[in-house]
């Protein structure tokens, strides 16, 4: 149950963060022009098993060691070849990686989910707080304080 919860939180982190910049579940057949973006109020993507599985591999990767992520050689990396890791951040009990998915032309940010007691304590701090510098932006207080 703990590993399932951790995986779900990690996937949620990827989807939440990625949807702010580039939604990993939306693979458009064409890029939106700036004029089109202004006209789009809501973009409804359909579920794709292959896209969800791809996101799952990024989520699993966040649990691999820092060195295997930096060299992109962890056991999950083989499922996403040519991914370019630009940063792996590991501090105390936290870990995340950022990179560029060449195949899908997208930036990926993956945070490891709940992994230990310290993470669970941060999860309990579930209030949302205003995110500095972003009008109307809010973030989970435990996540914000941890990072």
């Amino acid at each position: 149950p703990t590993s399932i919860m951790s995986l779900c939180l990690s996937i949620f982190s990827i989807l939440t963060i990625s949807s702010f910049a580039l939604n990993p579940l939306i693979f458009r057949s064409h890029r939106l022009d700036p004029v089109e973006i202004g006209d789009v109020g809501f973009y409804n993507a359909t579920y794709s098993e292959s896209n969800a599985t791809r996101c799952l591999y990024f989520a699993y990767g966040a649990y691999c060691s820092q060195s295997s992520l930096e060299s992109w050689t962890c056991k999950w990396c083989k499922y996403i070849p040519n991914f370019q890791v630009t940063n792996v951040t590991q501090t105390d009990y936290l870990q995340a990686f950022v990179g560029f998915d060449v195949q899908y032309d997208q930036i990926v940010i993956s945070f490891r989910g709940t992994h230990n007691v310290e993470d669970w304590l941060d999860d309990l701090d579930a209030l949302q707080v205003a995110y500095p510098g972003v009008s109307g932006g809010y973030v989970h207080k435990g996540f914000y304080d941890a990072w």
Side-chain angles (χ1 to χ4, degrees), residues 5-140:
M5 177 61 90
S6 296
L7 177 61
C8 290
L9 288 171
S10 186
I11 292 171
F12 176 75
S13 296
I14 290 174
L15 297 178
T16 302
I17 299 300
S18 297
S19 66
F20 188 83
L22 297 171
N23 189 332
L25 297 179
I26 301 172
F27 296 100
R28 299 178 192 94
S29 60
H30 73 283
R31 296 269 181 228
L32 293 176
D33 293 330
V35 173
E36 290 178 300
I37 292 172
D39 294 335
V40 175
F42 176 77
Y43 186 84
N44 188 12
T46 56
Y47 175 77
S48 163
E49 187 76 25
S50 63
N51 293 341
T53 301
R54 189 171 185 79
C55 290
L56 183 64
Y57 293 139
F58 286 123
Y60 282 158
Y63 289 86
C64 295
S65 71
Q66 182 174 357
S67 61
S68 66
L69 285 173
E70 289 170 342
S71 60
W72 202 243
T73 56
C74 76
K75 66 182 179 179
W76 306 108
C77 298
K78 65 183 176 185
Y79 297 106
I80 306 173
N82 303 317
F83 182 73
Q84 300 171 353
V85 177
T86 57
N87 181 278
V88 177
T89 299
Q90 187 176 43
T91 59
D92 299 325
Y93 55 92
L94 304 171
Q95 180 168 289
F97 70 89
V98 178
F100 185 71
D101 185 348
V102 175
Q103 183 177 355
Y104 287 92
D105 191 30
Q106 67 181 9
I107 296 168
V108 173
I109 304 170
S110 180
F111 293 89
R112 184 178 66 199
T114 304
H115 188 62
N116 52 38
V117 174
E118 291 88 354
D119 290 343
W120 281 108
L121 293 174
D122 287 333
D123 290 347
L124 294 175
D125 194 359
L127 298 173
Q128 287 193 344
V129 294
Y131 189 78
V134 179
S135 177
Y138 291 90
V139 64
H140 180 281

